[in-house]
Amino acid sequence: QLPEPTARSSPLVFLLCRRGCGRAAKMAESGGSGVGSEDSFPQYETEELYSRVLHVGSVGVLWREALGQQDLSLQEVVPVDDDAAVAEDFNCTPEVVAELRAVCSIDALKGSDKEDKEVIPEDSRLVTLGIRKKALERREEKIIIDRACRQETFIYEMESHMIGKRPKESINLVEEGELLLTLNIFYPVIFQKHKFRKPYQTMLVLGSQKLTEVRDSISCVSDLQIGGEFSSHPDQAPEHISKDLYKSAFFYFEGIFYNDGRHSECRDLSRTIIEWAESRDRGYANLQAVRMEDYTFNDLNIKIGFPYLYCHQGDCEHLVIITDIR
């Protein structure tokens, strides 16, 4: 009899145990083996937290059928006569459109250059200005300095440099109708200081990209560890880091382990887990192990918002949550 999983348990054990409990509950209610009931929600799931299981590639096919070519096109749109379009939408004359354009222009929103931007008016009714005023007062009283996370600042700078730019080579252009997935990578939950549920890395992944591309892009300090004794020569540059020596890793999505098998020294880290799950009739007979490099994200069956697993360096486990597909 297995103990009830807790928040301190390994993420994989927690996911497997919760999965087994949900299936057992459904089997107990139906009085059967649970076959054919994969589409229904287990008791521990709610629609507000994550979606039903969906095939990523099928989502793209359905959207491409529903959308027109003009919606999927990545070509620059030729500007049309905005005034005529606005006049048609509002059923008004061109004179009224010209007046609206003058009143609602961006220049009309700008204040005078002589105004002190650091001084907040006393009679302002804007809630945002009120919050800003309280923050400034609290900062003066407690001498608080707001510092953004260095990693977040770096990511923001990298994204800002890429906004609105197109790649110089056509081979790097994203194909029309491609799916875009948002992945949140979390810190290993074994560390007490990383107990907050804030992702430390967010990725935008194409549906046509292989799982190995994401595996190589995930940044973790465990991959940067140095093996060996360097106390006698502290300035000596190491020849290898842990990522070069221990290349085994896997993703876990919906009962399938996607193992990295690109290198001869890679081990099947999921074999021990599958043998443990299938022993003594624990109810995990459907677990599978495949090669990560043979699958793209379009091939996956996932739930939006559900916590999955990425494991590397033997026991360094990260939660992976796909929060959006578009």
Side-chain angles (χ1 to χ4, degrees):
Q1 183 177 1
L2 293 176
E4 178 68 12
T6 63
R8 297 191 177 201
S9 302
S10 167
L12 180 60
V13 174
F14 183 79
L15 289 173
L16 290 176
C17 291
R18 298 294 286 176
R19 185 175 179 226
C21 293
R23 288 189 174 181
K26 289 194 296 183
M27 292 169 58
E29 289 183 358
S30 60
S33 60
V35 178
S37 59
E38 289 293 334
D39 293 336
S40 60
F41 278 97
Q43 288 186 347
Y44 65 87
E45 295 185 6
T46 58
E47 294 183 8
E48 290 76 13
L49 295 179
Y50 32 82
S51 68
R52 295 177 181 269
V53 178
L54 55 89
H55 185 258
V56 177
S58 300
V59 174
V61 172
L62 293 175
W63 272 112
R64 284 189 288 271
E65 292 177 353
L67 297 176
Q69 183 61 32
Q70 67 277 6
D71 299 318
L72 299 175
S73 176
L74 299 177
Q75 301 296 329
E76 296 184 0
V77 180
V78 179
V80 297
D81 189 356
D82 294 338
D83 292 346
V86 173
E88 183 179 356
D89 291 339
F90 287 93
N91 193 19
C92 59
T93 62
E95 291 76 10
V96 176
V97 174
E99 183 180 358
L100 287 174
R101 184 178 297 279
V103 173
C104 301
S105 65
I106 298 179
D107 295 335
L109 298 176
K110 297 180 179 179
S112 175
D113 296 336
K114 298 180 181 180
E115 296 180 357
D116 190 355
K117 299 179 181 180
E118 297 297 330
V119 177
I120 300 177
E122 295 291 341
D123 57 346
S124 177
R125 298 182 180 179
L126 294 177
V127 178
T128 53
L129 289 181
I131 297 175
R132 177 67 176 170
K133 183 178 181 180
K134 292 181 180 179
L136 292 175
E137 294 175 352
R138 184 171 62 254
R139 184 181 301 177
E140 293 178 356
E141 294 175 358
K142 299 183 179 181
I143 315 179
I144 296 177
I145 301 176
D146 296 332
R147 290 190 177 94
C149 175
R150 288 180 294 177
Q151 189 172 15
E152 292 181 353
T153 304
F154 173 74
I155 294 174
Y156 173 77
E157 290 292 335
M158 295 296 293
E159 291 180 349
S160 62
H161 285 297
M162 298 303 297
I163 293 177
K165 294 184 178 180
R166 298 172 64 89
K168 297 180 180 179
E169 300 180 3
S170 58
I171 192 175
N172 294 325
L173 285 173
V174 178
E175 296 183 3
E176 296 181 354
E178 268 277 18
L179 286 179
L180 188 66
L181 295 83
T182 303
L183 273 69
N184 282 342
I185 314 296
F186 291 79
Y187 281 111
V189 297
I190 55 176
F191 298 110
Q192 181 65 19
K193 67 176 182 178
H194 298 145
K195 61 183 179 180
F196 301 104
R197 298 182 179 90
K198 182 179 181 181
Y200 77 94
Q201 191 172 4
T202 300
M203 297 183 179
L204 297 178
V205 184
L206 298 178
S208 60
Q209 288 186 290
K210 292 184 177 293
L211 299 181
T212 50
E213 297 183 58
V214 174
R215 182 259 190 277
D216 295 336
S217 300
I218 294 178
S219 175
C220 179
V221 68
S222 298
D223 290 331
L224 305 178
Q225 296 183 71
I226 302 172
E229 175 60 41
F230 294 91
S231 58
S232 301
H233 306 282
D235 298 330
Q236 179 182 352
E239 297 181 0
H240 303 285
I241 58 176
S242 295
K243 190 173 185 178
D244 301 328
L245 299 175
Y246 310 106
K247 301 179 180 180
S248 304
F250 70 78
F251 286 103
Y252 174 79
F253 294 104
E254 292 300 320
I256 301 179
F257 293 90
Y258 298 88
N259 292 284
D260 191 348
R262 293 173 292 174
H263 310 281
S264 58
E265 56 267 37
C266 286
R267 297 173 51 195
D268 185 357
L269 297 179
S270 65
R271 182 178 59 183
T272 304
I273 303 172
I274 294 177
E275 291 176 354
W276 168 85
E278 293 178 347
S279 64
R280 300 185 181 180
D281 192 20
R282 288 192 168 103
Y284 305 110
N286 296 326
L287 295 178
Q288 305 176 36
V290 297
R291 295 172 66 91
M292 184 191 305
E293 57 271 22
D294 297 335
Y295 288 84
T296 66
F297 280 87
N298 284 331
D299 302 324
L300 300 183
N301 293 305
I302 61 169
K303 301 174 186 174
I304 305 299
F306 191 84
Y308 294 109
L309 185 69
Y310 167 66
C311 179
H312 67 123
Q313 297 298 323
D315 60 353
C316 186
E317 300 175 335
H318 302 258
L319 290 180
V320 179
I321 299 180
I322 300 177
T323 60
D324 183 47
I325 297 180
R326 50 194 167 95

